[in-house]
Amino acid sequence: MDYRRFFEDAIDQLHAEKRYRVFANLERIVGKFPRALWRDAGKTREITVWCSNDYLGMGQHPDVIRAMHDASSRMGSGAGGTRNISGNNHPLVELELELADLHQKEAGLVFTSGFVSNEASISTIARLLPNCLIFSDELNHASMIEGVRRSGAEKKIFRHNDLAHLEELLKAAGKERAKLIVFESVYSMDGDIAPIAAIADLAEEYNAMTYIDEVHAVGMYGSRGGGITDREGLSHRIDIIEGTLAKAFGTLGGYIAGSRSVIDAVRSYAPGFIFTTALPPVIAAAATQSIRHLKVSQEERRMHQCQAQLTKDVLAQANLPVMKSETHIIPIHVGDPELCKKASDRLLERHGIYIQPINYPTVPRGTERLRITPTPFHTNELVVELKDALVEVWMALGIPFSKDSAPSVEISERVVTLAVSKAGG
């Protein structure tokens, strides 16, 4: 049997569907974020990254880097094994206490990634609840879907952010059965926000537990960076809050925060936690410093919202098809996988701008897009540069604008000034 052929056929299928993924060879430059070095075909070029999940640039914050250097000089690089074998390294203990405080919960538990934290936590919680029925938003992340699947529990999928549909399903299940509602606060591909308070109301009425994924919101929203639940004063109404250390906090890892009993149960029963090497102390120390900084500093969030709003306004004024978004995530509709890849390639090769194409299965077919994530370090000049590049690419490839006529490549200083004013900058 020609085993290799099976794998070659699988890759050929991706090429045929125009959704084969290519990863750019990038090297971030400390002190010049969002600039990076792009290496391709033996050449090196400095480019601007417009799609990083390091939303606030904390991965290059001097205090975070200093905390990592200090921890490495005292404790080395690795954790030495799973926590069962090597125990808890002290920075990890401090990190979990910091996370519990961030979300005003009794305890926290750190995993090696956000994917693992969702998969392990959802599957374990649902398995421990007798005859559990899971209610999952149809646009939940793949990690949540995998957690639901691995739990072996019965599931019901409710239409995205559709409260009436969720209530219909809850009512049919009855109040006596164990139930778990899993959903996100910020949905990363569309940039919309869940009706958290209303979902909490339904959970209370129909006696269900709630599990929210705040990975694209922690650090970004709320007076202390606790996410949308922090901003809206709802942390106490959600049973389990899941988040990441790899986006706004600029490091690596995932976590959950909740009651002491729930956290201890996941710690004691989840294979994805028990049999995985612990997060290294250098990462834990850096993450703790990042969280502590963002609990008290508002400047990063203020500037981030300012530049995100500016980018939306400038791109929309240029008639680019900016999809509606309530958050810092700015999707630009393309609607074709091949054009999406070509647009990404042209932006990088011709304009030195890196934006990874988002194609199926990450988003539904026909909704392919470029996903832009401004940071506080994307200056007004970089925003205008991005707009000019996108307009050139749209015209060159014949991608439809949001209106019949293509805009002028030039944009007046007045537009930028008005956009900054609107954003509060």
Side-chain angles (χ1 to χ4, degrees):
M1 181 179 289
D2 184 2
Y3 286 104
R4 179 182 296 183
R5 190 65 226 166
F6 290 106
F7 301 104
E8 292 173 347
D9 288 345
I11 295 301
D12 288 343
Q13 181 66 28
L14 292 177
H15 281 291
E17 295 176 4
K18 308 299 182 185
R19 58 187 186 94
Y20 179 76
R21 300 180 188 221
V22 177
F23 300 148
N25 182 353
L26 301 180
E27 179 182 327
R28 305 203 316 168
I29 308 169
V30 171
K32 296 185 71 174
F33 183 80
R35 302 290 284 175
L37 297 177
W38 172 46
R39 290 185 170 86
D40 182 62
K43 297 180 180 179
T44 301
R45 177 182 176 189
E46 191 170 308
I47 54 94
T48 303
V49 177
W50 272 97
C51 57
S52 173
N53 283 342
D54 188 359
Y55 293 134
L56 301 177
M58 291 302 293
Q60 300 193 23
H61 193 284
D63 291 347
V64 175
I65 295 173
R66 192 176 301 113
M68 180 175 281
H69 284 172
D70 178 63
S72 67
S73 67
R74 290 186 294 113
M75 289 171 276
S77 60
T82 67
R83 297 207 215 177
N84 291 322
I85 293 172
S86 299
N88 284 331
N89 62 72
H90 184 63
L92 198 48
V93 175
E94 291 185 311
L95 174 58
E96 289 178 339
L97 290 172
E98 205 69 45
L99 289 166
D101 175 76
L102 175 66
H103 295 293
Q104 299 178 313
K105 297 295 184 184
E106 292 178 348
L109 189 67
V110 169
F111 299 79
T112 50
S113 76
F115 191 103
V116 174
S117 62
N118 269 334
E119 179 188 56
S121 300
I122 293 171
S123 62
T124 301
I125 291 166
R127 279 201 311 271
L128 292 175
L129 292 172
N131 192 30
C132 180
L133 177 58
I134 301 177
F135 300 87
S136 179
D137 188 289
E138 67 176 341
L139 294 189
N140 276 342
H141 189 264
S143 59
M144 303 179 79
I145 295 170
E146 186 63 13
V148 172
R149 187 189 69 81
R150 290 182 65 84
S151 74
E154 183 183 357
K155 69 176 184 295
K156 299 288 183 182
I157 309 300
F158 62 93
R159 291 186 292 271
H160 179 53
N161 284 348
D162 190 329
L163 294 169
H165 189 213
L166 175 58
E167 182 169 21
E168 177 187 324
L169 296 173
L170 287 166
K171 187 180 295 184
K175 292 187 178 182
E176 299 307 314
R177 185 174 182 182
K179 297 175 290 295
L180 178 67
I181 304 171
V182 296
F183 63 108
E184 301 182 40
S185 62
V186 173
Y187 287 84
S188 62
M189 290 301 117
D190 294 314
D192 57 338
I193 298 174
I196 302 172
I199 290 176
D201 289 341
L202 290 176
E204 291 172 7
E205 181 177 354
Y206 293 98
N207 191 29
M209 288 186 70
T210 47
Y211 180 109
I212 191 169
D213 177 315
E214 285 254 47
V215 297
H216 290 277
V218 290
M220 310 287 292
Y221 300 94
S223 61
R224 301 199 311 154
I228 302 297
T229 49
D230 178 17
R231 187 185 72 178
E232 299 181 3
L234 296 169
S235 300
H236 66 289
R237 300 191 64 195
I238 301 298
D239 294 299
I240 303 103
I241 297 175
E242 188 267 349
T244 186
L245 306 169
K247 293 181 172 60
F249 294 128
T251 57
L252 179 72
Y255 66 88
I256 57 170
S259 68
R260 191 167 285 105
S261 59
V262 168
I263 298 303
D264 199 17
V266 174
R267 180 191 70 85
S268 301
Y269 281 92
F273 174 83
I274 296 169
F275 299 106
T276 299
T277 297
L279 207 65
V282 292
I283 301 296
T288 299
Q289 180 57 45
S290 183
I291 294 165
R292 287 174 178 168
H293 176 85
L294 290 175
K295 277 182 177 178
V296 296
S297 175
Q298 304 300 323
E299 185 61 16
E300 289 84 2
R301 285 188 283 275
R302 186 192 70 80
M303 279 302 300
H304 179 266
Q305 289 298 314
C306 175
Q307 294 311 102
Q309 189 61 54
L310 169 66
T311 307
K312 288 180 185 179
D313 291 344
V314 168
L315 299 187
Q317 193 274 345
N319 294 341
L320 287 156
V322 179
M323 300 168 69
K324 183 179 179 182
S325 169
E326 303 173 69
T327 62
H328 58 282
I329 294 165
I330 307 175
I332 310 294
H333 184 263
V334 177
D336 178 272
E338 187 170 11
L339 280 178
C340 202
K341 178 65 168 61
K342 286 182 177 179
S344 176
D345 290 345
R346 189 175 180 90
L347 281 168
L348 185 56
E349 294 162 6
R350 187 180 181 91
H351 300 282
I353 290 175
Y354 176 66
I355 307 174
Q356 184 74 354
I358 306 294
N359 291 335
Y360 176 85
T362 305
V363 295
R365 296 183 195 275
T367 68
E368 292 83 5
R369 66 198 66 178
L370 299 180
R371 177 182 175 273
I372 295 168
T373 53
T375 74
F377 299 94
H378 285 91
T379 64
N380 297 357
E381 292 75 20
L382 287 177
V383 173
V384 174
E385 178 185 288
L386 171 68
K387 185 273 309 178
D388 289 344
L390 285 169
V391 168
E392 190 281 329
V393 168
W394 250 243
M395 295 178 71
L397 299 180
I399 303 173
F401 285 84
S402 60
K403 297 178 182 178
D404 292 337
S405 58
S408 166
V409 174
E410 296 301 321
I411 186 168
S412 68
E413 183 66 28
R414 180 172 176 271
V415 172
V416 174
T417 302
L418 289 173
V420 171
S421 175
K422 181 179 177 182

